[in-house]
C-alpha cells in the first residue's frame, strides 16, 4: 500500500491543489523566492509567504530508474525525478516522470504536472511535453556558508583521546537481541581501554531509542543492561552524522563533565526486516500516512536513500562525464581491502565485469554500489587526555572535528553536485588544523553508496569538484601505494553497514598499528567521515 502524506493545515494547500489541476507552492512577497517544503516565513529574507498558483512546468535535473520492489502496488521499473520548477529553478520537487519509457527520461527534459489522486491526496507527477530540452551547463546552486572563525585558539580536541574500541559479532541476520550486541561491544571497549564499568561516567549514542533496526534502545536500555550510572549522557539523530555522538562525548570530556565516555552504535536491520515480514504475514501493518520530510518522497516510491542520492549522482554524471566504470573502482578497491579483513561480510574479489553485470538497484547504482545491511555493534571510549598514559594501548589523538551545517538540511532542495551536507563539515575540519589532505594516510569515508564516498573525496579536497573519476585512476590512488588508503577494512560496501562507527573502529586500529594483515605501514593520520546524505560530520585523528 502506498504511503500517503498526513494532511495538516500547513501542507493541505499543496497536497490537495490538484483537485482543480493547478500546482501551488508558497512564495515570498518580498524576495519573490518559492519556498518548499512549506515554512512559516521566508527562509531567505524572513518575509511573509503566500500561496501561489504555478504553471506546473519544469525541467528534469536529476533522475533514477528504480528497479527495486519497494511497494506492492508500484511495480518497477519506475522513474523518480527531481524537477526544477520554471518560476524558480532552486525550488524542486521529488516526483515521478510518467507517460514516458524509463530509457527516454533525461536531464534537461521539459515536463509538465499531471495529478494522480489517492484518497484525499493529489500527487503531482510530471509528464514530458513537446519542448526542446534545457541544455544549460550549470543550474543554480544554493550558497554554502563558509566555516566561522575558531571561537578560541584553545581547541577542545586537544583535551581528549580515543582510548578503547570494541566490536560485537557482526553478520547477516544474526537473529540476536540487539541489546546483547551492544553489551558485547561495550564490555569489549571498556576492557580494551583498561577500565572498569565503574570508571564510565558518560554515555553517548546515535540515534537513541525508538528506531527499529537502527538502535538497541538508546541510553536507558544500556544503563540498565550495564548497570552504569553516568553523570552525563546524550542520544539522538540530530547531530553531525553518526560520528556526531562521539564528538558529543569529546565535548563532555573537554568540558570536565566526564573522564571516560562510552560511545556506542548498534544496527540490526537484517533481523528487524525478518521480524517485520513476520508481522506483515500476521496481518499487522503500519499506518499509510507519513509526516515530516518523508512525506515529500515516500508517496512516489522513493523509499530508500539509494534513490534520493541517485538523483544527485545522475546530475553529477551528466555534468562531469563520470562513468559507471570509473565509479565502480570504489567498490572494487574496497572489496580488495576487505579480503584482508577476517571480520568483513564479503571478502571474495570483485572485478569490473562483476560490478557492471550485477543487478541494478536504482540507476546509476547497481548491487555493489550499495552497502551491506547487517547486525552488529561498535563501541568507542573517549577519555580525558591526561589519563591516556595509563591505558594499555597507544592512544589516538583528535586533531580536528568538522560539524558545520553549511547547507540546507534537505535531500532535494540543496545541491545537485554532490550528496548533501559534506562541504560544511569538511571545510570546518580543515579550518581547525594546519594539516591538509596531503597529510592523510587513511581515509575512512562514509560509503552507504559509492557516490557518497566520491562526494567526501571531493569535499575534503583530495581532488577538485568533478575530478574524482579521473583522480581514482582505476583504484591506484586509493589503495596501498596511492595518495591514501580508502576504507582499508572494506567499508560498508563490503565489511557491512555498521552505520558510521565502523570507520572509527578502523581508524583507531590503524593508528594504533593493530589492524593485522590489512595494517597500513607508517599510518600516522586518519580521517573518518559519517553521514550519507544528511547530516554529515568529519573527524581528523593522529597517532598518539
Amino acid at each position: 500500500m502506498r504511503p500517503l502524506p498526513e494532511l495538516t493545515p500547513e501542507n493541505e494547500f499543496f497536497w490537495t491543489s490538484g483537485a482543480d489541476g493547478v500546482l501551488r507552492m508558497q512564495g515570498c512577497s518580498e524576495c519573490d523566492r518559492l519556498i518548499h517544503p512549506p515554512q512559516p516565513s521566508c527562509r531567505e529574507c524572513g518575509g511573509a509567504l503566500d500561496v501561489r498558483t504555478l504553471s506546473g512546468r519544469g525541467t528534469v535535473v536529476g533522475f533514477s530508474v528504480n528497479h527495486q520492489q519497494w511497494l506492492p502496488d508500484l511495480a518497477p521499473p519506475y522513474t523518480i525525478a527531481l524537477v526544477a520548477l520554471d518560476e524558480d529553478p532552486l525550488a524542486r520537487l521529488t516526483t515521478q516522470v510518467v507517460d514516458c519509457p524509463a530509457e527516454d527520461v533525461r536531464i534537461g527534459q521539459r515536463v509538465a504536472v499531471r495529478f494522480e489522486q489517492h484518497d484525499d491526496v493529489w500527487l503531482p507527477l510530471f509528464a514530458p511535453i513537446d519542448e526542446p530540452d534545457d541544455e544549460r551547463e550549470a543550474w543554480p546552486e544554493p550558497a554554502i556558508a563558509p566555516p566561522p572563525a575558531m571561537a578560541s585558539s584553545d581547541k577542545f580536541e586537544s583535551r581528549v583521546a580515543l582510548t578503547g574500541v570494541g566490536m560485537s559479532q557482526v553478520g547477516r541476520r544474526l537473529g540476536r537481541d540487539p541489546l546483547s550486541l551492544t553489551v558485547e561491544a561495550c564490555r569489549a571497549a571498556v576492557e580494551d581501554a583498561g577500565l572498569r564499568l565503574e570508571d564510565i561516567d558518560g554515555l553517548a549514542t546515535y540515534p537513541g531509542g525508538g528506531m527499529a533496526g537502527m538502535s538497541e534502545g538508546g541510553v536507558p536500555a544500556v544503563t540498565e543492561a550495564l548497570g552504569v550510572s553516568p553523570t552525563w549522557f546524550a542520544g539522538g539523530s540530530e547531530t553531525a552524522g553518526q560520528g556526531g555522538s562521539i564528538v558529543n562525548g569529546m565535548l563532555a570530556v573537554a568540558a570536565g563533565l566526564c573522564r571516560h565516555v562510552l560511545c556506542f552504535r548498534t544496527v540490526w536491520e537484517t533481523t528487524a526486516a525478518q521480524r517485520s515480514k513476520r508481522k506483515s504475514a500476521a496481518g499487522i501493518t503500519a499506518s499509510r500516512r507519513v509526516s515530516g520530510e518523508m512525506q515529500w518522497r515516500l508517496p512516489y516510491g522513493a523509499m530508500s536513500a539509494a534513490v534520493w542520492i541517485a538523483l544527485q549522482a545522475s546530475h553529477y554524471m551528466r555534468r562531469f562525464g563520470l562513468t559507471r566504470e570509473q565509479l565502480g573502482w570504489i567498490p572494487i578497491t574496497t572489496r580488495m581491502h576487505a579480503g584482508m579483513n577476517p571480520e568483513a561480510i564479503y571478502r571474495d574479489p570483485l572485478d569490473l565485469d562483476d560490478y557492471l553485470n550485477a543487478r541494478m538497484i536504482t540507476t546509476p547504482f547497481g548491487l555493489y554500489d550499495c552497502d551491506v545491511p547487517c547486525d552488529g555493534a561498535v563501541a568507542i571510549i573517549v577519555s580525558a587526555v591526561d589519563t591516556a598514559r595509563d591505558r594499555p594501548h597507544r592512544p589516538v589523538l583528535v586533531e580536528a572535528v568538522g560539524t558545520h551545517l553549511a547547507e540546507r538540511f534537505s535531500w532535494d532542495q540543496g545541491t545537485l553536485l554532490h550528496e548533501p551536507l559534506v562541504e560544511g563539515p569538511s571545510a570546518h575540519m580543515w579550518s581547525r588544523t594546519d594539516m591538509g589532505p596531503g597529510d592523510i594516510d587513511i581515509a575512512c569515508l562514509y560509503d552507504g553508496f559509492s557516490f557518497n564516498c566520491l562526494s567526501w573525496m571531493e569535499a575534503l579536497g583530495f581532488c577538485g569538484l568533478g575530478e574524482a573519476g579521473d583522480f581514482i585512476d582505476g583504484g591506484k590512488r586509493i589503495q596501498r601505494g596511492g595518495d591514501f588508503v580508502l576504507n582499508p577494512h572494506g567499508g560498508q560496501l563490503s565489511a557491512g553497514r555498521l552505520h558510521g562507527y565502523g570507520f572509527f573502529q578502523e581508524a583507531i586500529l590503524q593508528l594504533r598499528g593493530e589492524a593485522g594483515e590489512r595494517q597500513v605501514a607508517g599510518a600516522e593520520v586518519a580521517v573518518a567521515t559519517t553521514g550519507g546524505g544528511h547530516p554529515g560530520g568529519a573527524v581528523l585523528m593522529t597517532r598518539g
Side-chain angles (χ1 to χ4, degrees):
M1 301 219 300
R2 188 182 297 233
L4 294 175
E6 178 182 351
L7 297 186
T8 68
E10 293 74 32
N11 68 17
E12 189 172 7
F13 77 89
F14 179 86
W15 289 118
T16 63
S17 65
D20 61 1
V22 177
L23 183 65
R24 293 178 176 86
M25 188 174 287
Q26 286 180 323
C28 178
S29 59
E30 297 186 27
C31 70
D32 208 37
R33 288 289 308 277
L34 291 182
I35 301 298
H36 187 74
Q39 300 292 330
S41 61
C42 179
R43 68 180 309 276
E44 300 295 333
C45 71
L49 301 179
D50 53 41
V51 175
R52 299 191 175 177
T53 296
L54 304 182
S55 67
R57 292 175 177 257
T59 304
V60 174
V61 294
F63 73 94
S64 179
V65 180
N66 174 67
H67 293 262
Q68 189 82 0
Q69 180 82 55
W70 293 107
L71 298 169
D73 65 341
L74 192 56
Y78 54 88
T79 305
I80 304 295
L82 193 57
V83 171
L85 300 175
D86 282 0
E87 288 82 356
D88 183 349
L90 281 173
R92 309 182 189 122
L93 293 178
T94 296
T95 182
Q96 282 186 24
V97 173
V98 294
D99 299 339
C100 179
E103 60 271 18
D104 291 341
V105 178
R106 58 195 179 274
I107 291 174
Q109 188 173 33
R110 296 283 294 147
V111 290
V113 72
R114 196 204 76 179
F115 292 96
E116 183 175 278
Q117 184 179 2
H118 295 264
D119 296 340
D120 56 355
V121 171
W122 280 260
L123 297 179
L125 312 179
F126 284 79
I129 54 177
D130 187 17
E131 290 183 7
D133 284 5
D134 189 320
E135 300 289 355
R136 73 180 79 187
E137 287 297 318
W139 283 79
E141 282 280 301
I144 295 179
M150 286 179 57
S152 169
S153 59
D154 181 17
K155 296 199 306 182
F156 81 89
E157 293 97 327
S158 63
R159 300 183 205 135
V160 305
L162 307 180
T163 59
V165 62
M167 187 171 75
S168 72
Q169 177 189 12
V170 175
R172 299 272 283 168
R173 303 177 183 87
L174 294 178
R176 287 181 55 180
D177 170 16
L179 188 57
S180 74
L181 298 172
T182 312
V183 168
E184 184 179 324
C186 288
R187 290 187 180 277
V190 171
E191 180 179 356
D192 184 68
L195 298 168
R196 303 167 302 166
L197 282 173
E198 305 92 87
D199 299 316
I200 299 300
D201 51 4
L203 294 178
T205 186
Y206 177 102
M211 294 182 68
M214 302 293 280
S215 168
E216 67 297 295
V219 169
V222 173
T223 57
E224 286 294 307
L226 293 179
V228 294
S229 300
T231 58
W232 172 90
F233 58 91
S237 60
E238 293 182 352
T239 185
Q242 298 88 343
S245 55
I246 299 175
V247 176
N248 287 343
M250 296 176 192
L251 288 165
V253 169
L257 277 168
C258 312
R259 299 288 280 169
H260 304 287
V261 175
L262 173 60
C263 309
F264 54 93
R265 173 87 187 93
T266 305
V267 292
W268 54 293
E269 290 178 278
T270 46
T271 292
Q274 281 188 324
R275 294 182 182 180
S276 178
K277 288 179 181 177
R278 287 198 293 268
K279 287 182 180 179
S280 296
I284 304 171
T285 58
S287 170
R288 294 178 60 199
R289 297 289 171 154
V290 292
S291 59
E293 63 173 339
M294 291 302 175
Q295 68 178 291
W296 310 108
R297 293 184 293 279
L298 302 193
Y300 301 103
M303 306 294 291
S304 164
V307 180
W308 314 336
I309 292 171
L311 300 178
Q312 278 95 4
S314 68
H315 187 95
Y316 179 101
M317 295 176 84
R318 163 67 182 272
R319 179 163 175 181
F320 297 114
L322 178 76
T323 65
R324 286 202 71 225
E325 287 81 357
Q326 289 175 309
L327 186 63
W329 283 107
I330 292 175
I332 292 168
T333 301
T334 54
R335 175 64 67 85
M336 178 181 69
H337 295 164
M340 294 179 279
N341 178 7
E343 294 165 328
I345 290 178
Y346 293 129
R347 302 180 62 199
D348 293 337
L350 182 69
D351 62 26
L352 193 56
D353 285 338
D354 296 327
Y355 169 80
L356 294 173
N357 292 328
R359 68 183 176 91
M360 190 59 65
I361 303 299
T362 189
T363 62
F365 300 148
L367 179 64
Y368 298 119
D369 290 300
C370 306
D371 60 10
V372 183
C374 67
D375 297 348
V378 174
I380 308 291
I381 304 291
V382 178
S383 297
V385 71
D386 60 10
T387 71
R389 292 183 182 276
D390 300 326
R391 310 276 68 80
H393 297 278
R394 178 189 294 272
V396 170
L397 303 181
V398 180
E399 173 66 19
V401 305
T403 59
H404 188 207
L405 190 64
E407 306 172 51
R408 287 191 65 175
F409 206 106
S410 172
W411 291 94
D412 55 11
Q413 303 301 306
T415 181
L416 296 170
L417 301 179
H418 49 76
E419 69 157 298
L421 298 175
V422 297
E423 295 277 354
S426 299
H428 187 213
M429 184 189 78
W430 291 129
S431 76
R432 298 181 64 80
T433 178
D434 293 329
M435 290 185 176
D439 294 305
I440 291 177
D441 304 304
I442 307 291
C444 295
L445 306 184
Y446 194 90
D447 59 351
F449 307 97
S450 52
F451 186 72
N452 297 122
C453 197
L454 181 147
S455 291
W456 277 113
M457 280 188 212
E458 294 186 347
L460 288 166
F462 292 120
C463 58
L465 178 64
E467 297 176 358
D470 291 332
F471 172 82
I472 291 168
D473 190 23
K476 296 178 185 144
R477 305 285 284 277
I478 55 177
Q479 55 188 247
R480 284 167 175 78
D483 288 31
F484 57 87
V485 182
L486 174 68
N487 294 345
H489 61 311
Q492 298 183 155
L493 295 176
S494 288
R497 187 198 296 159
L498 290 171
H499 214 223
Y501 265 55
F503 299 109
F504 282 90
Q505 185 216 23
E506 182 63 15
I508 291 169
L509 292 179
Q510 288 284 345
L511 294 177
R512 294 196 325 196
E514 299 175 3
E517 183 186 354
R518 67 184 183 276
Q519 178 65 49
V520 176
E524 298 281 346
V525 182
V527 64
T529 66
T530 53
H534 69 71
V539 177
L540 188 65
M541 294 161 275
T542 63
R543 181 179 173 92

